Amino acid sequence: MSTDQRPLRRDARRNREALVTAARETFGTKGLDAPLEEIARRAGVAIGTLYNRFPTRDDLVEAAFLPALRTSLTHTEEALAADDPWNGFVLFLERSVAMQVADRGFTEVCVRTFGTESELGATKLAIGERMGRIIARAQESGALRADFRLEDLGTVFAATTGSPRWRRSLGLLLDGFRAEAAHPLPED
């Protein structure tokens, strides 16, 4: 049995959990480039303990945000399962924006590229694939304008996540995304 497979001692498990909690809080307020020393201090451990548990920043980011990404993946599955494709599209956007508004670190995880060899990168890839299906399904139903593209979601998130009135901003955008409101858009 390798050291990676052995269960952690109680104190090591407690330190790991404290580091992950401190990372979620620190990254959530200060972003993914927050000082690792601050995370170790918040967790009540030495910086060497942080590096023993998480050799790279990406390892710590993955431990801190993989649960949130899995929640986001569940949201995409629920959106795809919605009887009404438009309602599924709206559900996905409302939940995604709410998660990003609440957590700066999560927003940064959503826009950063991670290798697909990591579970974080693979989960992001799965979310992206489902997002494309959510859009296609809403377009095929005739509810979502035909020229809406996956990359337009970046504009949606940028326009809403920084707003204290994000629900209103999202509502205005959604009205413009409806097929019946569509006017031809210029290509960039």
Side-chain angles (χ1 to χ4, degrees):
M1 182 182 281
S2 76
T3 56
D4 290 340
Q5 296 171 331
R6 254 186 300 171
L8 294 175
R9 293 183 333 257
R10 187 177 304 141
D11 63 327
R13 187 173 54 249
R14 184 182 61 246
N15 287 345
R16 184 185 191 290
E17 290 168 2
L19 283 163
V20 170
T21 298
R24 289 275 306 134
E25 293 168 358
T26 306
F27 290 149
T29 57
K30 295 189 173 186
L32 299 183
D33 294 325
L36 296 180
E37 293 79 7
E38 180 176 342
I39 293 168
R41 190 173 0 90
R42 276 184 154 187
V45 301
I47 191 69
T49 301
L50 183 149
Y51 283 113
N52 283 338
R53 286 285 136 228
F54 304 101
T56 69
R57 181 179 294 268
D58 282 353
D59 293 332
L60 183 57
V61 168
E62 181 166 308
F65 290 101
L66 189 56
L69 273 181
R70 287 182 178 146
T71 298
S72 185
L73 182 63
T74 300
H75 292 165
T76 62
E77 292 165 357
E78 291 169 358
L80 285 167
D83 290 336
D84 180 290
W86 175 257
N87 289 342
F89 178 71
V90 171
L91 175 74
F92 160 71
L93 284 178
E94 285 176 343
R95 288 181 173 177
S96 297
V97 172
M99 287 180 76
Q100 290 189 32
V101 165
D103 190 324
R104 176 179 169 188
F106 181 72
T107 301
E108 290 182 17
V109 165
C110 289
V111 298
R112 280 201 186 171
T113 302
F114 296 90
T116 55
E117 68 281 351
S118 73
E119 198 170 347
L120 196 68
T123 304
K124 284 187 62 173
L125 189 65
I127 291 168
E129 183 272 328
R130 284 168 178 81
M131 288 175 0
R133 288 179 26 217
I134 291 166
I135 291 166
R137 196 169 164 254
Q139 287 172 326
E140 289 164 7
S141 76
L144 178 62
R145 57 186 305 146
D147 58 355
F148 188 91
R149 295 180 285 226
L150 183 61
E151 55 267 17
D152 293 329
L153 289 174
T155 302
V156 174
F157 296 129
T160 55
T161 57
S163 171
R165 299 178 66 201
W166 68 266
R167 290 182 200 285
R168 176 178 167 74
S169 298
L170 181 58
L172 291 168
L173 290 169
L174 286 169
D175 283 348
F177 297 154
R178 290 184 177 274
E180 68 263 14
H183 294 86
L185 294 175
E187 288 296 322
D188 291 335

